[in-house]
Amino acid sequence: MILQDRLEAKLSDAKNVLVLAVGGGNDSVSSLFLLAQLAQDFGFNPASVTIAAMLPDGVDYKDVRTLHPLIHEILPITSRWIGHKRISAFPEPLLAENAEFLGVERVVGLDMIQGSVGVSKALHHLISTEGFDTVIAVDVGGDFIAVPE
């Protein structure tokens, strides 16, 4: 079986999907382009999609729903702060606000405070408790999309 056939068999059967936005910047939002392309090319049409973004340490997140010490649900009202300064370039709350329209069940953030070991723990917990049958890791280099030029 060639790679394309294997991908189509796996992706067309996906029901509960975790999309892991591996990079920083806007990978969580940019991953939506990939999901649309997978639908077109491989019949990808899961019942549920959760997008997980990396939350860098040294940054405070306010108004999240903590699901696990290293996993936070991002809400439309979630904000990002460094010290007393609010960082407005934070796309995940916008994604959460428009989740239903975009076909996303929810948006979560994985806290990177414990480095790669902590991210691994968070992923294991998320996958085992939520019963994801497919995990797609994405680093699309989509940061350029946010630049106004």
Side-chain angles (χ1 to χ4, degrees):
M1 183 181 279
I2 63 172
L3 178 59
Q4 185 166 348
D5 293 336
R6 292 193 330 245
L7 282 171
E8 185 169 358
K10 176 64 178 170
L11 293 174
S12 64
D13 285 342
K15 302 289 184 253
N16 187 17
V17 175
L18 174 64
V19 176
L20 175 61
V22 177
N26 293 306
D27 282 348
S28 59
V29 176
S30 300
S31 68
L32 297 173
F33 295 116
L34 174 65
L35 298 180
Q37 191 67 50
L38 293 176
Q40 181 179 321
D41 293 348
F42 300 108
F44 181 70
N45 187 26
S48 176
V49 173
T50 296
I51 296 183
M54 297 292 122
L55 301 180
D57 58 335
V59 180
D60 293 319
Y61 297 88
K62 296 182 179 178
D63 298 312
V64 295
R65 182 177 299 127
T66 300
L67 307 173
H68 174 274
L70 298 171
I71 305 169
H72 309 287
E73 183 172 1
I74 305 297
L75 307 170
I77 60 169
T78 298
S79 58
R80 180 188 291 194
W81 297 77
I82 296 178
H84 297 289
K85 180 167 176 48
R86 183 178 180 156
I87 308 302
S88 59
F90 179 37
E92 285 78 17
L94 185 59
L95 182 58
E97 181 179 342
N98 294 287
E100 184 177 348
F101 173 75
L102 297 168
V104 173
E105 182 80 21
R106 68 179 170 174
V107 181
V108 299
L110 304 181
D111 196 326
M112 296 177 65
I113 193 147
Q114 294 180 12
S116 58
V117 171
V119 170
S120 176
K121 287 180 196 175
L123 277 173
H124 178 75
H125 178 80
L126 192 59
I127 292 167
S128 64
T129 59
E130 299 295 325
F132 294 109
D133 58 42
T134 305
V135 177
I136 300 172
V138 179
D139 187 355
V140 297
D143 299 354
F144 74 93
I145 294 171
V147 178
E149 300 172 5

